[in-house]
Amino acid sequence: MEGIRRSAVVEDAVRYRFFAATGAGDEALLRRCSEVIVVRFAPLLAAYIWQRQPFSLRYVPPRGETPAHVGGTTLFGDNVEDEWFIVYLIREITREFPGLAARIDDNDGEFLLIEAADFLPRWLTPENSDNRVFFYKGELHIIPLSETQEQECDPSAASLTISQALTLLSTRSEEFLAAEPIRTAVYKRISGYPEKIQASFHRAHCYLPAGIVAVLRQRPSLVAAAVQAFYLRDLVDMRACRSFRTFPPDNRVMTVVTFTKCLYAQLVQQKFLPDRRSGYTLPPPSHPQYKAYELGMKLAHGFEILCSKCSKQSPDSKRNVLNSPLWERFLRSLKEKNYFKGEMEGSVKYLELLHMAEDYFEQSVSKTESAVEVSPGDEILTLLQTTTIDVKEFEREAACLPPEDGE
């Protein structure tokens, strides 16, 4: 279905909004609902590596014809799977919380309808589709035109406000269940989750400065920002990589880095040779660990670029958000749903999973509209000042690394 009405959403971003199905959601109730959602889905959200931005919810007050709701916008960049994972989350959230109805769209508009274009009813057009497509009680619903509206020639006469749509959904939802072929087409696109999360990862050996290894132990998601920085580098960025003030090539160690397949592909497919002044050199391509050296060199460039753009803020300027009741509920949910997979508390694997959970919580759940935005470079420099870098320990671990994933 081409030409679906475009919403006010930036390119390569997906917008999602949860409304009280009755249309009468007060602020306290909606804020509480957003907290319960992230706690309930903590294991999925903490385990995911986002391309650009994580799934996050905030309260949005009523404005014009749009009632109060909780929602967010996530930039997914080149990894469209982030968008479809969010569709999966939306469906599951409305299944778990039947009092919510959800809208989701992107810069193409009603992209769910595009996915099911071959099965749409004749009456559904780009001009009348806005505010008619909802997830409700775990199922896709499409609110049709009334008999009177179908006879109208003016497309604007068929417009529907969200409040009107919510009233219809809450009283007659069984009439608006999307036709089975439409639901099948959309659900097929999100089938396989949550197992697909692990399948989306690619673990590779990388020869990296010990400082980056330490940073990634604490904040695994920073790999995405570093890959993006390298992938989108410009001449100004490359000037910062002549001296490598933050991550010189001394004290490099072999380690395993977890990417998504998309991030790994972005890093691998770039042809790149380091500046001779940087101190980074590569062994001959015939070297058995050439790929690990090359990947590490590229990733180090990404980290150096991020640090070159930071505001040099002090570690004390970042709020400690892990001393809150919400974090305690978040962590308890992780433990109850076997997020730590039986790992002993304090073990290397347990701490790796814990850092991923802390990372997601700090970057999305705990942020408020008044919170100061912390750039990836600021985050990295703060971690370097507050994290112990044990090169000898990294070298011992490098001697018995698990195998990397096949190409």
Side-chain angles (χ1 to χ4, degrees):
M1 182 176 182
E2 297 183 1
I4 292 292
R5 180 184 301 175
R6 287 175 177 260
S7 303
V9 184
V10 298
E11 190 172 356
D12 297 333
V14 58
R15 177 177 62 175
Y16 36 91
R17 294 172 287 172
F18 294 92
F19 302 90
T22 60
D26 63 81
E27 180 175 351
L29 179 64
L30 286 169
R31 287 188 185 276
R32 172 62 180 156
C33 192
S34 68
E35 291 185 2
V36 174
I37 287 171
V38 296
V39 168
R40 165 63 184 83
F41 290 90
L44 295 182
L45 297 171
Y48 200 82
I49 297 177
W50 301 90
Q51 181 79 9
R52 297 288 298 277
Q53 292 178 335
F55 174 88
S56 61
L57 298 175
R58 65 181 180 88
Y59 172 75
V60 181
R63 183 176 182 181
E65 295 181 333
T66 303
H69 58 280
V70 292
T73 299
T74 294
L75 283 169
F76 55 82
D78 290 338
N79 193 3
V80 73
E81 281 304 314
D82 282 9
E83 180 174 42
W84 286 103
F85 175 52
I86 290 175
V87 174
Y88 166 78
L89 287 174
I90 300 302
R91 185 187 182 193
E92 293 303 304
I93 290 168
T94 59
R95 193 200 306 274
E96 291 273 339
F97 300 89
L100 296 177
R103 292 269 297 122
I104 183 166
D105 56 2
D106 63 12
N107 58 288
D108 288 325
E110 306 290 347
F111 70 96
L112 298 180
L113 299 185
I114 297 174
E115 190 69 20
D118 293 339
F119 310 105
L120 299 181
R122 292 179 61 186
W123 62 263
L124 190 57
T125 68
E127 290 74 25
N128 64 26
S129 63
D130 203 27
N131 297 333
R132 295 186 180 277
V133 183
F134 286 82
F135 272 105
Y136 184 51
K137 297 182 178 179
E139 298 289 354
L140 187 66
H141 290 72
I142 299 176
I143 300 175
L145 303 177
S146 68
E147 292 182 4
T148 302
Q149 287 174 324
E150 289 180 16
Q151 297 170 7
E152 293 281 357
C153 296
D154 181 8
S156 63
S159 62
L160 188 69
T161 68
I162 289 180
S163 294
Q164 290 170 333
L166 293 174
T167 299
L168 290 168
L169 273 178
S170 63
T171 56
R172 300 162 53 194
S173 62
E174 65 280 355
E175 299 176 33
F176 309 137
L177 188 65
E180 185 175 353
I182 297 175
R183 284 181 288 138
T184 299
V186 173
Y187 298 167
K188 181 179 180 181
R189 192 64 177 79
I190 58 176
S191 64
Y193 283 109
E195 293 77 16
K196 280 175 68 174
I197 296 176
Q198 289 298 318
S200 72
F201 293 157
H202 185 93
R203 296 166 184 84
H205 291 175
C206 294
Y207 194 52
L208 286 169
I212 295 179
V213 177
V215 166
L216 286 175
R217 293 285 174 88
Q218 297 293 318
R219 295 292 179 267
S221 70
L222 283 170
V223 69
V227 171
Q228 292 300 302
F230 175 77
Y231 187 69
L232 301 174
R233 67 192 181 278
D234 57 25
L235 292 176
V236 175
D237 294 332
M238 293 313 301
R239 281 203 291 270
C241 295
R242 292 173 183 170
S243 58
F244 267 89
R245 295 177 180 174
T246 308
F247 297 109
D250 308 329
N251 294 327
R252 279 181 290 174
V253 294
M254 196 68 73
T255 190
V256 173
V257 176
T258 300
F259 303 88
T260 62
K261 286 182 170 62
C262 182
L263 291 169
Y264 179 75
Q266 286 182 322
L267 207 58
V268 167
Q269 63 93 29
Q270 291 258 314
K271 301 297 183 183
F272 178 78
L273 290 175
D275 191 303
R276 291 181 180 178
R277 291 166 289 187
S278 71
Y280 277 84
T281 58
L282 294 174
S286 59
H287 191 282
Q289 294 180 318
Y290 176 81
K291 189 183 71 172
Y293 275 78
E294 185 183 40
L295 283 173
M297 176 270 297
K298 292 177 180 178
L299 198 55
H301 277 71
F303 272 93
E304 190 71 26
I305 291 168
L306 290 175
C307 291
S308 73
K309 295 180 176 182
C310 76
S311 61
K312 308 296 191 296
Q313 72 172 33
S314 68
D316 294 337
S317 65
K318 185 179 178 183
R319 298 175 302 120
N320 182 7
V321 298
L322 300 179
N323 292 322
S324 68
L326 180 55
W327 164 249
E328 293 300 323
R329 294 197 299 274
F330 191 85
L331 182 59
R332 187 163 57 247
S333 176
L334 294 176
K335 293 178 178 178
E336 290 172 353
K337 295 177 174 63
N338 197 33
Y339 168 77
F340 292 101
K341 303 170 185 173
E343 293 290 335
M344 185 175 294
E345 191 165 338
S347 69
V348 173
K349 184 61 177 177
Y350 180 95
L351 292 175
E352 178 185 337
L353 293 168
L354 178 63
H355 292 322
M356 289 181 69
E358 292 174 344
D359 193 8
Y360 176 78
F361 188 86
E362 290 183 342
Q363 295 302 314
S364 57
V365 179
S366 66
K367 282 190 176 180
T368 65
E369 295 173 37
S370 60
V372 176
E373 188 74 23
V374 179
S375 74
D378 290 323
E379 181 82 0
I380 292 165
L381 290 183
T382 297
L383 287 169
L384 286 174
Q385 294 178 52
T386 57
T387 302
T388 301
I389 301 174
D390 190 339
V391 178
K392 296 296 184 182
E393 177 62 24
F394 293 159
E395 289 175 345
R396 284 193 292 269
E397 293 174 2
C400 52
L401 290 178
E404 56 185 347
D405 295 335
E407 292 293 301

